[in-house]
């Protein structure tokens, strides 16, 4: 699907402009504390001309045939673009975890790591993360590594999404 840059895109958003829009597809989840699973997912990046995107993601567990089994994770926040390709992601999860991510974007790639993590009393014990997003053959591919529950940083979810 063709993508056209919005005329009111803030110049600092250039390195992440390819992410704008709605993306849907499927992914895989795994971690030492859970059984491996597959999921469907939708990511939405919107903007209003200022130097940030609003971000929302939702996912649902699917069975071997791709049929929805149940709702899964929801996260929302702001992907802030700074001069020179620097980025900050302010992210809030339905699980009670809030995170600040920092990193860089260039050449169809966004790489971020956690800078700060907060959580409510009932939230999971998350201690770190790393995310890599890439524009590969027009699709959005990502990998999310997680450190939580006393486990070291390791792969948690990965997916391939198409522009909707």
């Amino acid at each position: 699907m063709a993508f056209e840059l919005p005329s009111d895109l803030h110049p600092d958003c250039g390195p992440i402009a390819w992410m704008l829009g709605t993306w849907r597809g499927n992914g895989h989840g795994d971690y030492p504390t859970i059984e491996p699973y597959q999921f469907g997912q939708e990511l939405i990046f919107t903007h209003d001309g200022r130097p940030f995107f609003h971000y929302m993601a939702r996912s649902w567990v699917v069975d071997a045939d791709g049929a929805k089994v149940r709702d899964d994770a929801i996260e929302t926040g702001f992907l802030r673009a700074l001069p020179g390709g620097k980025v900050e992601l302010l992210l809030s999860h339905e699980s009670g975890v809030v995170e600040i991510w920092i990193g860089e974007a260039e050449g169809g790639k966004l790489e971020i790591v956690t800078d700060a993590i907060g959580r409510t009393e009932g939230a999971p014990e998350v201690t770190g993360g790393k995310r890599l997003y890439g524009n590969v053959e027009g699709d959005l591919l990502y990998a999310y590594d997680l450190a939580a529950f006393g486990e070291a940083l390791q792969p948690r979810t990965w997916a391939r999404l198409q522009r909707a």
Side-chain angles (χ1 to χ4, degrees), residues 79-91:
L79 179 57
R80 296 167 33 92
L82 305 172
K86 302 279 188 201
V87 295
E88 301 169 338
L89 176 63
L90 314 170
L91 196 58

Side-chain angles (χ1 to χ4, degrees), residues 4 9 11 43 57 64 79-80 113 122 132 149:
E4 193 172 307
L9 185 70
L43 306 182
L79 179 57
R80 296 167 33 92
V113 296
L132 175 63
F149 310 107

Side-chain angles (χ1 to χ4, degrees), residues 7-31:
S7 61
D8 63 343
L9 185 70
H10 191 281
D12 290 343
C13 292
I16 57 173
W18 67 271
M19 301 177 86
L20 277 172
T22 300
W23 301 84
R24 292 189 189 106
N26 296 296
H28 306 275
D30 196 3
Y31 206 67

Side-chain angles (χ1 to χ4, degrees), residues 38 60-64 66-72:
Q38 298 196 24
W60 50 95
V61 174
V62 297
D63 63 21
K68 181 178 176 179
V69 175
R70 64 175 173 80
D71 288 318
D72 196 21

